[in-house]
């Protein structure tokens, strides 16, 4: 048996004369989708697989498809003679363009056997001299394949070797997806051995020392694995000590390490290459001169064996010294290694004479988390699911580690400034905190935050940008957007689409034992950001803003300012400024009546339907009554039309309940139900009882403007409490109310027993209100049966994503995060709103 070892991702070129059995070999060892046959592509472009005049077009198409497969990370096999150097060069070029290894499998059979097979095929009409020329070309190819760039060349001579061949796949050295951690990823050490030992100790590692007291290994009692991002050497006081410890950890299986550019330069020097001794290399060489020659040789061997980057945890984590773009992850080429070591520069230098690095992380949209170092930064910062953890220890900063998957940063300070940086470590960021850039929000984006992550499709970002740029309030004031809310599971009770029983069951299934049922006001969602001082505060002049759930100003001035003044006075009179020790508050409210903001929608979408039905259906019933009196068989039609007339009357009554006269703020009411944040803290962890108690105090000091939110607290294990809440809902909706919102009593940031965020609220709407949503006749048995097949999964997923982003936005607000970071989160919520979800849900 001959074993052919192939990389799992490669471009495999079969090389052999016509009749050597390449197609049979490919069919035996590879899936049909993996094999690209030149004959098949000739047939595609010319309807004849033997039409040699179509070869140029056929191979052009074959190379294109091969590129698409390789870009997608799929093994690709090219079934062609591949006897000419130019043909093979084209395949090597395609492989290099996609950073995969080109491999050649040569099938060498006797020419006589190949000719015998060729003569047996009716579709082969060339002469023996062609086969002789092919055999000559094959012999010439043997010594050329490796020089042409094929990383592996397998030669199978004779039928027996070909028949006995077995394909075995090997992973690339960088593919360690089977390692799931947990990991402690350590930033650039640069010879700071004492700081490295201190960091490992703080992370819970146990250092192991030799007889001389030197740290030669470390292990973690919880079985964690350390991952070093490179640049272990140069500039610092003890590069050999760092190498001794890291090499020991790697050898013992306690750590992984990727090379940094400083290790590569050291290796070239140790191999006798001519390199410029600068940037701390002189210090390392001097320190190594004091070590035994055997140790220095071991260092060279260790560095030479380091892999450019690692793909870990099923592809969810990538570690590379200078970072790695998505298309390079898990690939192997000189280009990939160069990027992993040095990043990408623009060709320019900054005022310190250092190369300007291309901000690849700003454009990164991959699903894998990329952790890297290389460029020292005062503080680690998440950018599109990437983070640089080089915090300049050797320059007097800190040595930082990222705990994965916890996403926790742990750091120890440098003992001193060991090496003066060319560029000050505390240099100002590339842009002020308050500056926004279009690239922050355009295109397909991956947004990481403390509650999870999500990908914003480019089309959703474009829709959000349209709203944000044309209609939204000043981004400095747009600090949070409310999440959408999913309805409860569909009820099977006769005549109901939504019912409290399902809302309670939904939370009970999530492990919630206590909920609060809040009256659902039929108005317009209003977010109120109000400052204590009407002409100042941290958000600029104006003293705050009132905006809609899509970020638009609720009212134009002076009405908006008048509303804000009313809220400010109530907060002052309720004593909340001093009690909460804040000079601003963010409130989640409902503004009533619905018609105050949605009068145009009511007239254009609902009133027209009601007016037409009220005008036409009574007349139709009267005419059918007359026809029935004349003995015509229209009884069924008359009854159906009468039901439609009654449904339209109920439909009209439903939307009229939410219409009221307003004149300025006269007739307008505000129902607050959550105090989201203030200057000192986000109140996401306070229970809903706390939030509503503060809302009640606002209602008490200005009952003419504020309206309370009625509620019921329900222990889900208490059947009497559940029944009372259901009766309360029936009475509420029977009196014309919209329904209720059921929330975990624990508060906005409540989590399930599994630690995942819960739905922020589940709406349970009344039977008559749903006529507005689903149409006058939705309660007809046939229509209800159809509606009960509605799918809620996408809506619920959307609600959770928006809720998580909102919590992260509140945290960023109170933590004083840069405006662009806060805006990124709020923008992502708005982008989610363009998801194609049934708007009736």
């Amino acid at each position: 048996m001959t074993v052919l070892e192939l990389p799992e991702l490669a471009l495999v070129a079969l090389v052999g004369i016509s009749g050597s059995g390449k197609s049979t070999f490919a069919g035996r060892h590879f899936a049909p989708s993996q094999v690209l046959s030149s004959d098949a592509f000739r047939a595609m472009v010319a309807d004849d697989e033997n039409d040699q005049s179509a070869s140029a077009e056929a191979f052009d198409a074959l190379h294109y498809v091969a590129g698409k497969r390789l870009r997608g990370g799929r093994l690709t096999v090219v079934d062609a003679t591949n006897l000419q150097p130019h043909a093979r060069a084209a395949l090597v070029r395609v492989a290099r363009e996609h950073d995969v290894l080109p491999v050649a499998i040569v099938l060498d059979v006797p020419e006589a056997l190949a000719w015998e097979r060729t003569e047996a095929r009716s579709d082969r009409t060339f002469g023996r001299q062609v086969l002789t020329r092919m055999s000559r070309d094959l012999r010439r190819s043997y010594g050329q394949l490796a020089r042409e760039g094929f990383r592996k060349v397998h030669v199978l001579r004779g039928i027996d070797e070909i028949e006995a061949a077995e394909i075995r796949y090997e992973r690339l050295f960088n593919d360690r997806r089977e390692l799931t951690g947990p990991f402690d990823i350590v930033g650039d050490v640069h010879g700071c051995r004492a700081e490295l030992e201190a960091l490992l100790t703080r992370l819970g590692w146990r250092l192991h020392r030799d007889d001389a007291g030197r740290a030669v290994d470390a292990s973690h009692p919880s079985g964690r694995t350390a991952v070093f991002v490179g640049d272990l050497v140069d500039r610092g006081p003890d590069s050999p000590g760092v190498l001794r410890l890291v090499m020991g950890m790697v050898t013992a299986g306690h750590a992984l390490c990727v090379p940094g550019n400083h290790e590569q330069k050291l290796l070239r020097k140790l191999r006798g290459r001519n390199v410029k001794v600068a940037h701390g290399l002189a210090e390392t060489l001097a320190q190594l001169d004091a070590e035994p020659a055997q140790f220095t040789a071991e260092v060279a061997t260790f560095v030479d064996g380091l892999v450019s980057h690692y793909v870990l945890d099923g592809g969810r984590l990538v570690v590379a010294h200078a970072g790695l773009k998505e298309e390079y992850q898990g690939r192997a080429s000189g280009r990939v290694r160069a990027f992993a070591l040095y990043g990408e520069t623009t060709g320019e230098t900054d005022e310190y004479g250092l190369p300007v690095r291309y901000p690849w992380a700003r454009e990164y949209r991959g699903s894998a988390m990329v952790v890297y170092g290389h460029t020292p930064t005062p503080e680690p910062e998440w950018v599109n699911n990437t983070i640089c953890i080089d915090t300049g220890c050797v320059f007097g900063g800190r040595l930082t580690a990222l705990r994965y998957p916890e996403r926790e940063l742990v750091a120890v300070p440098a003992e001193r400034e060991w090496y003066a940086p060319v560029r000050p470590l505390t240099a100002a960021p590339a842009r002020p905190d308050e500056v926004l850039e279009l690239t922050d929000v355009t295109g397909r984006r991956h947004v990481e935050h403390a509650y999870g992550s999500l990908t914003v499709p480019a089309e959703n970002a474009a829709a959000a940008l349209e709203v944000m740029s044309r209609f939204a309030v000043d981004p400095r004031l747009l600090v949070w957007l409310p999440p959408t809310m999913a309805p409860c599971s569909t009820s099977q009770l006769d005549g109901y689409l939504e019912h409290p029983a399902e809302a309670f069951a939904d939370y009970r299934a999530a492990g919630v034992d206590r909920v609060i049922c809040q009256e659902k006001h039929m108005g317009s969602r209003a977010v109120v950001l109000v400052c204590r001082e009407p002409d100042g505060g941290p958000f600029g002049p104006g003293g705050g803003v009132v905006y809609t759930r899509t970020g638009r100003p609720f009212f134009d001035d002076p009405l908006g300012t008048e509303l804000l003044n009313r809220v400010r006075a109530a907060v002052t009179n309720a004593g909340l400024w001093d009690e909460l020790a804040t000079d601003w508050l963010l409130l989640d409210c409902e503004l009533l009546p619905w018609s105050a903001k949605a009068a145009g929608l009511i007239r254009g979408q609902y009133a027209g339907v009601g007016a037409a039905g009220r005008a036409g259906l009574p007349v139709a019933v009267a005419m059918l009554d007359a026809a029935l009196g004349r003995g015509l068989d229209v009884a069924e039609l008359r009854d159906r039309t009468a039901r439609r007339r009654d449904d339209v009357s109920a439909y009209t009554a439903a939307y009229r309940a939410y219409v009221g006269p307003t004149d300025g703020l006269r007739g307008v009411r505000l129902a607050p139900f959550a105090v989201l944040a203030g200057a000192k803290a986000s109140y996401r962890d306070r229970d809903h009882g706390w939030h509503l108690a503060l809302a009640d105090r606002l209602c008490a000091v200005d009952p003419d403007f504020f309206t309370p939110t009625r509620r019921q607290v329900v222990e889900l294990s208490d059947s009497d409490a559940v029944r009372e809440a259901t009766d309360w809902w029936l009475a509420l909706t029977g009196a014309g109310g919209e329904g209720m919102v059921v929330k975990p009593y624990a508060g906005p940031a409540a989590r399930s027993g599994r630690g995942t965020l819960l739905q922020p609220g589940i709406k349970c709407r009344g039977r008559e209100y749903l006529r507005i949503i689903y149409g006058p006749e939705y309660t007809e048995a046939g229509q209800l049966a159809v509606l009960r097949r509605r799918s809620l999964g996408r809506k619920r997923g959307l609600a959770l994503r928006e809720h998580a982003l909102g919590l992260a936005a509140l945290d960023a607000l109170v933590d004083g995060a840069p405006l662009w970071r806060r805006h990124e989160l709020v923008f992502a919520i708005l982008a989610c709103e363009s998801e194609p979800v049934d708007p009736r849900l």
Side-chain angles (χ1 to χ4, degrees):
M1 180 179 66
T2 303
V3 176
L4 310 183
E5 293 185 342
L6 302 182
E8 288 185 337
L9 175 57
L11 177 63
V12 180
L14 301 182
V15 182
I17 66 177
S18 180
S20 59
K22 296 183 299 300
S23 298
T24 301
F25 182 88
R28 180 185 304 133
H29 295 286
F30 303 103
S33 59
Q34 295 175 319
V35 180
L36 305 182
S37 164
S38 59
D39 288 347
F41 276 87
R42 269 189 290 266
M44 288 181 197
V45 301
D47 295 326
D48 182 357
E49 65 180 33
N50 295 307
D51 185 353
Q52 297 301 312
S53 67
S55 290
E57 295 295 330
F59 277 100
D60 185 53
L62 185 151
H63 295 156
Y64 177 80
V65 174
K68 291 296 184 183
R69 286 186 56 82
L70 295 175
R71 180 175 299 175
R74 295 175 176 86
L75 179 78
T76 301
V77 180
V78 178
D79 175 12
T81 59
N82 294 318
L83 296 171
Q84 300 298 322
H86 71 272
R88 297 191 296 267
L91 296 180
V92 171
R93 184 170 59 252
V94 171
R96 286 176 174 169
E97 286 173 352
H98 295 88
D99 304 290
V100 302
L101 300 180
V103 176
I105 300 178
V106 181
L107 275 61
D108 188 355
V109 301
E111 182 183 324
L113 176 60
W115 177 244
E116 180 183 332
R117 291 173 173 176
T118 300
E119 283 191 307
R121 294 182 59 176
S122 59
D123 60 343
R124 293 291 188 263
T125 58
F126 54 79
R128 177 71 179 263
Q129 71 280 5
V130 174
L131 211 59
T132 301
R133 186 175 66 249
M134 287 183 176
S135 296
R136 185 171 59 249
D137 291 339
L138 179 64
R139 298 290 177 272
R140 292 172 178 168
S141 300
Y142 280 144
Q144 299 177 3
L145 291 170
R147 292 196 299 270
E148 289 172 352
F150 287 95
R151 296 291 293 272
K152 287 195 173 187
V153 178
H154 297 287
V155 179
L156 299 175
R157 290 184 172 88
I159 297 300
D160 291 341
E161 279 194 14
I162 294 173
E163 292 291 334
E166 177 181 324
I167 302 290
R168 289 184 185 172
Y169 293 102
E170 57 185 12
R171 288 184 171 182
L172 294 176
F173 293 134
N174 57 42
D175 184 357
R176 300 302 306 271
R177 286 173 292 180
E178 79 281 4
L179 300 180
T180 59
F183 301 109
D184 292 333
I185 310 168
V186 181
D188 300 40
V189 182
H190 278 301
C192 298
R193 177 194 51 78
E195 288 88 343
L196 175 58
E197 291 183 10
L199 178 62
L200 291 173
T201 301
R202 184 170 177 183
L203 290 166
W205 289 75
R206 295 172 181 167
L207 296 172
H208 307 295
R209 302 184 183 274
D210 62 11
D211 294 340
R214 301 173 301 187
V216 294
D217 189 11
S219 59
H220 199 284
S222 299
R224 301 182 72 90
T225 300
V227 186
F228 294 92
V229 303
D231 276 5
L232 304 172
V233 302
D234 293 352
R235 297 174 173 153
D238 191 2
S239 290
V242 172
L243 287 167
R244 185 176 289 107
L245 174 55
V246 173
M247 289 163 57
M249 293 174 69
V250 171
T251 301
H254 298 148
L256 299 171
C257 183
V258 297
N261 56 299
H262 283 262
E263 279 81 49
Q264 288 304 295
K265 190 173 183 180
L266 172 63
L267 178 64
R268 292 199 301 274
K269 181 64 177 176
L270 295 178
R271 295 295 194 218
R273 302 283 295 276
N274 184 22
V275 300
K276 184 177 181 180
V277 179
H279 305 297
L281 179 57
E283 287 79 356
T284 299
L285 294 174
Q287 293 161 14
L288 286 174
D289 283 344
E291 297 287 336
Q294 181 181 353
F295 177 78
T296 303
E298 290 172 354
V299 167
T301 301
F302 171 74
V303 173
D304 194 36
L306 295 178
V307 181
S308 67
H309 70 283
Y310 281 116
V311 179
L312 305 165
D313 192 20
R316 287 178 284 272
L317 173 65
V318 172
V319 179
H321 176 62
L324 207 60
K325 296 191 288 189
E326 182 180 18
E327 58 265 34
Y328 290 169
Q329 294 168 10
R331 305 299 174 107
S333 70
R335 178 169 62 175
V336 170
R337 187 172 183 84
F339 193 104
L341 285 171
Y342 307 104
E344 190 173 17
T345 61
T346 65
E348 304 169 303
T349 56
D350 61 16
E351 65 269 32
Y352 303 101
L354 299 175
V356 176
R357 305 199 181 280
Y358 191 81
W360 65 272
R362 296 280 296 279
E363 298 179 0
Y364 181 72
R365 302 295 183 268
S367 59
M369 178 192 299
V370 181
V371 185
Y372 64 104
H374 189 50
T375 304
T377 179
E379 295 290 338
E381 182 179 293
W382 288 100
V383 179
N384 293 331
N385 207 20
T386 76
I387 187 168
C388 175
I389 57 171
D390 178 5
T391 46
C393 180
V394 76
F395 301 128
R398 292 172 297 165
L399 184 60
T400 297
L402 174 72
R403 293 168 62 87
Y404 176 95
E406 298 89 341
R407 298 169 61 92
E408 176 189 353
L409 291 166
V410 179
V412 296
E415 290 188 349
R416 49 166 284 194
E417 182 186 276
W418 297 104
Y419 198 91
V422 176
R423 181 196 295 120
L425 186 61
T426 56
R431 58 171 168 165
D433 286 355
E434 297 296 301
V435 172
L436 301 179
E437 294 181 3
L438 193 61
T439 54
D440 291 338
V441 293
T442 52
R444 185 174 183 268
R445 298 188 57 76
H446 191 85
V447 180
E448 282 281 335
H449 53 83
Y451 301 89
S453 64
L454 84 161
T455 298
V456 178
E459 58 271 22
N460 292 17
L465 184 61
E466 172 75 7
V467 174
M468 194 75 77
S469 60
R470 295 183 61 191
F471 307 113
V473 301
D474 187 323
R476 291 173 296 180
L477 301 172
L478 191 60
V479 296
W480 177 81
L481 285 175
T484 189
M485 200 158 30
C488 62
S489 296
T490 303
S491 175
Q492 300 301 315
L493 290 175
D494 187 32
Y496 288 94
L497 191 62
E498 297 176 10
H499 190 272
E502 278 66 38
F504 297 146
D506 288 340
Y507 275 124
R508 197 180 288 114
V512 177
D513 53 13
R514 194 181 196 197
V515 298
I516 187 167
C517 304
Q518 297 180 6
E519 171 188 7
K520 193 173 190 307
H521 301 283
M522 183 49 185
S524 302
R525 194 75 169 261
V527 180
V528 180
L529 175 63
V530 58
C531 298
R532 186 169 192 168
E533 299 299 328
D535 295 320
F539 302 100
V545 69
V546 183
Y547 56 86
T548 69
R549 70 178 309 270
T550 56
R552 306 177 189 222
F554 215 103
F555 293 117
D556 294 331
D557 278 338
L559 197 57
T561 299
E562 185 181 347
L563 190 152
L564 206 56
N565 288 338
R566 196 81 177 255
V567 174
R568 181 180 296 109
V571 174
T572 300
N573 294 332
L576 297 185
W577 299 123
D578 294 333
E579 181 177 325
L580 298 176
T582 183
D583 57 357
W584 60 267
L585 283 175
L586 182 66
L587 308 176
D588 195 7
C589 313
E590 192 87 0
L591 192 138
L592 311 169
W594 187 30
S595 56
K597 189 64 178 175
L601 175 68
I602 295 169
R603 282 193 297 269
Q605 184 166 322
Y606 301 111
V609 174
R614 293 194 308 275
L617 290 172
V619 174
V621 171
M623 294 179 66
L624 289 169
D625 282 338
L628 194 63
R630 295 198 301 272
L632 297 177
D633 185 14
V634 294
E636 183 179 349
L637 177 59
R638 188 266 174 205
D639 291 344
R640 188 166 67 249
T641 305
R643 288 198 304 272
R644 293 181 62 198
R645 175 199 60 197
D646 297 341
D647 287 341
V648 165
S649 295
Y651 172 81
T652 302
Y655 70 73
R656 279 180 173 171
Y658 311 117
V659 176
T662 58
D663 180 13
L665 282 189
R666 187 178 304 151
V668 172
R669 309 267 289 180
L670 191 67
F673 47 83
V675 183
L676 297 169
K680 300 293 184 181
S682 161
Y683 305 124
R684 53 179 172 72
D685 292 327
R686 305 296 182 95
D687 63 51
H688 283 291
W690 181 88
H691 286 278
L692 287 169
L694 295 190
D696 287 346
R697 289 166 60 179
L698 297 178
C699 297
V701 298
D702 190 355
D704 294 331
F705 179 64
F706 289 94
T707 190
T709 297
R710 292 174 285 178
R711 64 268 198 181
Q712 294 272 317
V713 177
V714 182
E715 301 291 341
L716 294 180
S717 59
D718 186 342
S719 58
D720 292 336
V722 168
R723 184 175 59 255
E724 289 175 9
T726 303
D727 292 341
W728 177 73
W729 178 82
L730 290 169
L732 188 68
T733 56
E738 178 183 345
M740 68 181 181
V741 178
V742 184
K743 301 177 179 179
Y745 186 83
R751 293 180 179 268
S752 70
R754 298 185 300 275
T756 56
L757 283 175
L758 293 163
Q759 288 288 333
I762 294 176
K763 56 188 176 183
C764 183
R765 297 167 290 184
R767 184 180 140 98
E768 292 308 310
Y769 169 78
L770 286 174
R771 289 191 193 279
I772 304 175
I773 305 302
Y774 288 105
E777 302 166 42
Y778 94 99
T779 52
E780 293 291 326
Q783 290 204 37
L784 265 180
V786 172
L787 292 175
R788 283 185 172 128
R789 294 198 292 268
R790 63 185 186 169
S791 176
L792 302 178
R794 177 171 287 189
K795 180 74 169 182
R796 289 177 172 176
L798 184 63
L800 280 175
R801 291 197 297 274
E802 293 184 6
H803 179 46
L805 286 165
L807 293 176
L810 293 177
D811 291 346
L813 174 65
V814 299
D815 290 343
L819 175 62
W820 64 264
R821 175 56 175 161
R822 290 156 36 200
H823 187 63
E824 176 188 48
L825 296 163
V826 176
F827 188 93
I829 299 173
L830 189 57
C832 287
E833 281 297 298
S834 60
E835 282 285 315
V837 177
D838 186 348
R840 301 173 299 177
L841 294 177

